[in-house]
Amino acid sequence: MPLDGITLNLLKNELSQYIVGSRIEKIHQPSKDELVFHLRSREGAYRLLVSASANSPRLHLTANAPENPATPPMLCMLFRKHLTGAVITDIRQLGLDRVVFIDLAGTNEIGDSVTFTLCVEIMAKHSNIILVNSEGNIVDSVKRIDFTQSSVRQILPSFRYELPPRQNKMNLTENDAETVASAIKSCVGKRLSGAILETVEGVSPLISREIAAYASPDDGLACEITDIAFERLTKRLSEIKSVLESGDGTPTMLIREGVKPYDFTFTDIEQYGFTVTAKEFDSFSQLLDDFYYEKDRFESTRQRSLSLLKLLQ
């Protein structure tokens, strides 16, 4: 259930309507991997949750913000020092990769204008939230990465911020669908779903399987698909390209057993048949907020059940 680059793109466009132009009033850090920004604009007040948790990295507006600790952590105090009162001027994405930049403008202690960028990297266990100054140097981050943890890219205060390594995949907003389909077909020794995942930037395993199932239900080798399968592959890629260009994705939660949140996406999913049901939402923020709230609630209930069972035994 990763937040893929295409869903993130649609979410980013949605967020820009609410948070660009808003001012940061408060900052809280409910846990070591999460930050909540209290924003205010002419349209109203919002809470932006940004998480670098390995299990649920994400950003979205929230109505279910976690409780705050009695004493704010040092990182939270640092972020408050630099960003309280700052205005969000833009929100950008690195291609269709899972990296989002939130640009901010404010003033320092002596009243001079300053700018910062909040870099949100949504990459499973490598997820991070990094504050970068106008010179491109790191102020601090939720997760510090030193030389013992990575010889390629260090995330430490005063170090220059470097972008995460790119995977050289094809962006559907920059290439036509047929060109991307041809690149997928040229993958040797890969099943179609694997070739799609390896070739197309921003797609999750769920979407890769969905595209493959539509084009060629047996998910055979990509280099051996028929002309009809190639046409269907091109058609499905073209539809996703249209969604990206129009921004008309459908925020959808997939639910198992009628109540358990299983996955989420931006389009209809047919690969599971009747084993899951789909629930549509008005916005991607609402989708993610409800999905992770319900997911955490189910996990909490499961842990309590296990504890009770252990006690009874």
Side-chain angles (χ1 to χ4, degrees):
M1 56 189 74
L3 177 56
D4 63 49
I6 294 176
T7 304
L8 185 60
N9 182 269
L10 298 168
L11 172 65
K12 180 261 300 182
N13 294 337
E14 175 186 290
L15 286 176
S16 67
Q17 302 173 32
Y18 296 96
I19 70 172
V20 172
S22 63
R23 187 178 302 275
I24 297 176
E25 289 192 329
K26 299 176 184 177
I27 303 172
H28 291 125
Q29 189 177 3
S31 68
K32 65 177 183 177
D33 296 332
E34 289 182 324
L35 290 166
V36 177
F37 297 86
H38 295 251
L39 310 175
R40 183 167 293 279
S41 68
R42 293 180 180 178
E43 287 72 32
Y46 309 98
R47 288 182 293 185
L48 178 68
L49 184 147
V50 186
S51 173
S53 166
N55 295 324
S56 54
R58 65 200 191 273
L59 78 161
H60 56 82
L61 300 180
T62 181
N64 302 304
E67 292 186 9
N68 302 307
T71 303
M74 290 299 295
L75 181 70
C76 182
M77 297 298 291
L78 178 68
F79 274 51
R80 287 178 179 178
K81 172 187 174 183
H82 290 295
L83 300 182
T84 299
V87 174
I88 296 176
T89 58
D90 198 8
I91 177 169
R92 303 173 283 115
Q93 184 181 11
L94 180 63
L96 289 177
D97 208 346
R98 291 177 294 168
V99 182
V100 168
F101 307 103
I102 300 175
D103 296 326
L104 304 118
T107 55
N108 60 18
E109 298 91 337
I110 59 176
D112 292 335
S113 297
V114 291
T115 58
F116 293 95
T117 297
L118 192 68
C119 308
V120 184
E121 301 177 356
I122 302 174
M123 299 177 174
K125 66 179 181 179
H126 301 295
S127 299
N128 212 338
I129 305 168
I130 307 163
L131 184 63
V132 177
N133 64 20
S134 58
E135 285 76 41
N137 297 323
I138 297 169
V139 178
D140 212 337
S141 60
V142 165
K143 300 175 185 177
R144 293 184 178 182
I145 310 296
D146 61 22
F147 293 95
T148 65
Q149 296 167 286
S150 173
S151 60
V152 177
R153 183 172 178 255
Q154 291 76 48
I155 306 295
L156 294 169
S158 79
F159 275 48
R160 188 155 190 86
Y161 175 75
E162 301 290 343
L163 292 172
R166 300 298 297 274
Q167 296 180 304
N168 296 319
K169 295 185 179 182
M170 300 186 73
N171 187 329
L172 276 171
T173 63
E174 299 172 354
N175 298 274
D176 63 79
E178 188 170 350
T179 300
V180 177
S182 297
I184 293 169
K185 188 174 181 179
S186 68
C187 292
V188 178
K190 290 276 187 180
R191 291 195 173 275
L192 183 56
S193 58
I196 294 168
L197 187 63
E198 184 179 276
T199 305
V200 186
E201 186 176 48
V203 299
S204 64
L206 171 69
I207 297 301
S208 299
R209 293 194 304 269
E210 189 68 19
I211 297 171
Y214 177 81
S216 179
D218 63 350
D219 196 19
L221 293 176
C223 60
E224 296 178 358
I225 61 173
T226 64
D227 291 344
I228 293 176
F230 182 83
E231 290 178 8
R232 292 175 65 85
L233 172 63
T234 304
K235 180 177 182 292
R236 195 69 181 97
L237 291 171
S238 180
E239 290 171 352
I240 294 175
K241 179 179 175 70
S242 296
V243 168
L244 283 165
E245 292 174 343
S246 66
D248 291 334
T250 304
T252 305
M253 183 192 296
L254 303 179
I255 302 170
R256 274 197 166 162
E257 300 166 4
V259 291
K260 186 177 181 181
Y262 178 68
D263 212 332
F264 59 84
T265 184
F266 61 90
T267 187
D268 293 335
I269 298 295
E270 299 179 355
Q271 62 189 273
Y272 296 119
F274 296 106
T275 62
V276 301
T277 56
K279 179 181 178 182
E280 295 184 4
F281 287 79
D282 294 332
S283 70
F284 284 97
S285 276
Q286 185 184 355
L287 165 64
L288 293 175
D289 201 26
D290 280 21
F291 178 85
Y292 285 105
Y293 177 78
E294 291 297 323
K295 179 173 173 287
D296 291 345
R297 187 173 67 85
F298 268 90
E299 182 60 25
S300 177
T301 301
R302 189 182 73 86
Q303 291 294 339
R304 289 198 300 269
S305 298
L306 291 175
S307 298
L308 181 58
L309 181 60
K310 183 177 179 181
L311 177 62
L312 290 171
Q313 288 175 336

